[in-house]
């Protein structure tokens, strides 16, 4: 069990550029989640996958954001035309399902939009 | 909508002493789960303890225990025999039995004094 892995750990980009983050969940976990955390706040839910199906999306996930999990394993989160307000820590979590279905988090990708 | 409130932005405890972190939540649901997560500086979020709402017995994990008061919608975390490594931001989180997203409070920053 290597835990949830996220890449890159840090990303600096210029406003208007596209960025993509990757998340590798714990290997036997079929559920995967993306959250966004800004300074001084708790994480906010963005989206959730069960296997390859995206089952829940927050209204925080504007049309510039897209997430995929094509083979039910790793997931990518893409932000198009980045804005300074997108600067945040993007956290990925995974879970096994069942009850209480505890979520385990990765170290996050810190995005800075200049 | 469900909300989670952590009214203590910062707390401090002496090493080896006991500290209690407060959390209240608002929900009209009967099926839900509550969690405490620890986020050390620049490190990933770690699950500390979890509680199913249908269980009357308070959860305990080594030096960590909760006081779950369902009627009062209160879920406090007690850390006994505090250690320097306990210093971190602690987040309380709620998950409805009907969805998979976690709703987090704003966190309590715990300092442990040697």
């Amino acid at each position: 069990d290597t835990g949830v892995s996220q890449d890159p750990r840090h990303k600096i980009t210029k406003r208007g550029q596209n960025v993509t983050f990757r998340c590798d969940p714990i290997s036997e976990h079929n559920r995967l989640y993306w959250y966004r955390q800004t300074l001084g706040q708790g994480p906010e839910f963005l989206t959730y996958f069960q296997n390859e199906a995206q089952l829940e999306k927050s209204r925080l996930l504007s049309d510039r954001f897209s997430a995929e999990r094509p083979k039910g394993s790793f997931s990518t989160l893409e932000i198009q035309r980045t804005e300074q307000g997108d600067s945040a820590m993007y956290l990925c979590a995974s879970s096994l399902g069942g009850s209480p279905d505890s979520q385990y988090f990765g170290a996050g990708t810190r995005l800075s939009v200049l | 909508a469900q909300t989670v409130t952590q009214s203590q932005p910062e707390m401090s405890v002496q090493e080896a002493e006991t500290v209690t972190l407060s959390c209240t939540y608002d929900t009209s649901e009967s099926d839900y789960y509550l969690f405490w997560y620890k986020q050390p500086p620049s490190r990933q979020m770690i699950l500390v303890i979890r509680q199913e709402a249908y269980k009357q017995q308070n959860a305990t994990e080594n030096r960590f225990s909760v006081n779950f008061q369902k009627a009062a919608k209160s879920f406090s975390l007690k850390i006994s025999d505090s250690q320097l490594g306990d210093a971190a931001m602690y987040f309380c989180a709620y998950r409805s039995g009907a969805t998979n997203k976690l709703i987090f409070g704003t966190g309590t920053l715990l300092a442990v004094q040697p």
Side-chain angles (χ1 to χ4, degrees):
Chain A
D1 178 0
T2 57
V4 178
S5 177
Q6 293 189 246
D7 184 68
R9 291 293 307 278
H10 299 93
K11 179 70 176 179
I12 300 173
T13 191
K14 293 182 179 179
R15 190 174 49 189
Q17 298 294 305
N18 299 343
V19 294
T20 300
F21 311 139
R22 176 178 171 127
C23 172
D24 287 89
I26 294 171
S27 57
E28 64 268 27
H29 286 186
N30 59 5
R31 297 181 174 185
L32 187 147
Y33 312 80
W34 287 98
Y35 292 82
R36 181 171 68 187
Q37 184 179 22
T38 53
L39 201 62
Q41 299 296 316
E44 294 176 294
F45 172 81
L46 292 178
T47 191
Y48 151 66
F49 290 85
Q50 179 157 325
N51 298 313
E52 66 276 8
Q54 188 174 20
L55 297 184
E56 195 170 353
K57 290 170 61 174
S58 165
R59 54 188 170 83
L60 290 176
L61 210 67
S62 75
D63 56 5
R64 296 185 298 105
F65 287 69
S66 63
E68 293 183 343
R69 194 181 183 200
K71 296 183 180 179
S73 57
F74 73 91
S75 175
T76 58
L77 177 67
E78 181 183 17
I79 308 175
Q80 296 182 327
R81 305 181 302 281
T82 53
E83 301 172 356
Q84 287 186 327
D86 296 331
S87 296
M89 177 74 85
Y90 290 84
L91 298 171
C92 177
S94 69
S95 71
L96 190 55
S99 175
D101 198 23
S102 300
Q103 296 179 23
Y104 297 89
F105 284 80
T109 294
R110 181 167 295 283
L111 173 66
S112 297
V113 182
L114 305 178
Chain B
Q2 297 90 4
T3 58
V4 176
T5 301
Q6 293 180 253
S7 59
Q8 305 156 317
E10 298 182 13
M11 292 282 285
S12 182
V13 63
Q14 291 291 128
E15 198 175 2
E17 296 295 309
T18 296
V19 64
T20 298
L21 308 184
S22 301
C23 173
T24 59
Y25 59 94
D26 188 24
T27 185
S28 58
E29 299 178 328
S30 57
D31 179 23
Y32 57 88
Y33 305 87
L34 296 164
F35 305 84
W36 277 98
Y37 281 89
K38 168 186 176 182
Q39 189 174 41
S42 301
R43 292 179 59 190
Q44 69 192 81
M45 191 116 48
I46 301 165
L47 177 64
V48 174
I49 199 165
R50 61 194 176 207
Q51 175 82 42
E52 295 91 331
Y54 63 84
K55 289 187 176 179
Q56 293 185 341
Q57 187 173 7
N58 289 325
T60 299
E61 290 286 343
N62 301 314
R63 297 182 296 107
F64 298 88
S65 61
V66 298
N67 184 5
F68 175 45
Q69 300 290 325
K70 191 171 183 177
K73 296 179 183 175
S74 171
F75 182 62
S76 60
L77 174 69
K78 185 171 81 171
I79 306 174
S80 303
D81 186 25
S82 297
Q83 301 175 0
L84 295 177
D86 294 334
M89 182 72 87
Y90 285 81
F91 290 101
C92 178
Y94 168 100
R95 184 174 74 79
S96 162
T99 74
N100 295 89
K101 66 179 182 183
L102 289 170
I103 299 170
F104 286 86
T106 51
T108 296
L109 182 63
L110 178 66
V112 181
Q113 307 299 330

